[in-house]
Amino acid sequence: MRERDFLEPVFIDAFDLDDAWFQCLNAILNKGHVYTITRGSYQDQKRLEFDFVNVRVKNPSHQIIPIIPEGMSIPAPTDMDYIQGYLNYLLTGAKTATEDYTYGERLVEPKARIKENVNGKEMIKEIPLDCNQIEEVIKMYREKGFGTNQATMEIGMPSDLKLDDPPCLRIIDTRVRYGKLHFILYFRSWDLWGGFPSNLGGLQLVKQYMAEEIGVGDGEIIAVSKGLHLYNYSWELAKMRTNKTNLSIR
């Protein structure tokens, strides 16, 4: 891996989600930057990461899960059962007592969390914001038409900076154009091996649901990230999948 003076943006133009995953694996092995994580998940481990990537998927419904060729001893990064479960996660606000948030909560039952002192003990109070973003976007397009740039669903909040594990997905922007609903996504950080196929698979199912409710066709996904990466435990798997087993990563 060579040293650089400037960021190196990468553009992936993919047919479906399987193609997008394979192209990203292939590109990151050639263009990724290796560094040691100083804060966050897998602290002190090495990560291979794009400087910035824009992934366009023209037909995301065609092949939602990655295809592992027969004869490759590689575990599939996800499957449709998992993605169907992930869809339920995205469409409900349910979370466990140990979770600060879920994507589903932020989408359909967002809450502001504030600290309160109760009898000398610090407590977290959650204030419902009364905004199901998925249903509001559907309503906006149905009632006001498609000539708007306001139909944006937000995952991130300013207070996330104080969390140990802030959301990776920050924005789900939407557009209806040429008779179809399109998603434009931003991930601040994104695991390419396991997270990418599961996240996009689940979000594709959300998009299909919303398109049907709005009464339009199912369109493209465009995802951008300055943090799409491979953890070092998956480097060899990525090299096997892309037939780059002789490639050295330092």
Side-chain angles (χ1 to χ4, degrees), residues 24-40:
C24 285
L25 289 175
N26 191 67
I28 202 170
L29 292 173
N30 292 324
K31 299 175 182 281
H33 167 73
V34 178
Y35 70 101
T36 301
I37 303 165
T38 58
R39 185 183 189 276

Side-chain angles (χ1 to χ4, degrees), residues 227-246:
L228 184 58
H229 58 261
L230 284 174
Y231 294 112
N232 56 359
Y233 70 82
S234 60
W235 292 357
E236 292 303 316
L237 294 171
K239 289 194 286 185
M240 290 171 63
R241 177 64 188 89
T242 57
N243 296 308
K244 295 178 180 288
T245 53
N246 294 326

Side-chain angles (χ1 to χ4, degrees), residues 72-196:
M72 280 192 173
S73 56
I74 301 173
T78 193
D79 57 36
M80 281 307 300
D81 286 341
Y82 184 87
I83 287 174
Q84 287 289 349
Y86 187 66
L87 174 64
N88 293 331
Y89 163 90
L90 291 170
L91 293 179
T92 71
K95 67 176 182 178
T96 67
T98 60
E99 290 178 308
D100 292 313
Y101 66 91
T102 69
Y103 290 165
E105 181 200 47
R106 293 286 177 89
L107 284 171
V108 303
E109 293 182 19
K111 302 177 183 70
R113 305 175 86 234
I114 61 172
K115 292 181 180 179
E116 286 189 334
N117 192 295
V118 179
N119 298 323
K121 185 177 180 180
E122 189 176 87
M123 307 286 287
I124 299 294
K125 180 180 180 180
E126 294 187 332
I127 303 174
L129 300 181
D130 191 26
C131 181
N132 183 323
Q133 297 187 81
I134 290 176
E135 297 306 318
E136 287 297 326
V137 167
I138 292 170
K139 179 181 176 183
M140 185 184 299
Y141 282 130
R142 278 178 168 176
E143 296 184 356
K144 298 296 184 180
F146 308 142
T148 181
N149 284 323
Q150 296 183 350
T152 300
M153 298 179 286
E154 299 187 39
I155 306 297
M157 293 182 175
S159 56
D160 290 337
L161 277 171
K162 295 184 177 182
L163 298 178
D164 291 332
D165 294 299
C168 294
L169 173 63
R170 311 299 288 206
I171 289 284
I172 303 174
D173 208 351
T174 75
R175 158 155 282 158
V176 175
R177 186 159 291 179
Y178 311 125
K180 297 178 181 179
L181 174 67
H182 311 281
F183 270 11
I184 298 89
L185 315 171
Y186 178 72
F187 286 84
R188 63 159 187 87
S189 186
W190 203 7
D191 171 27
L192 174 54
W193 185 260
F196 181 103

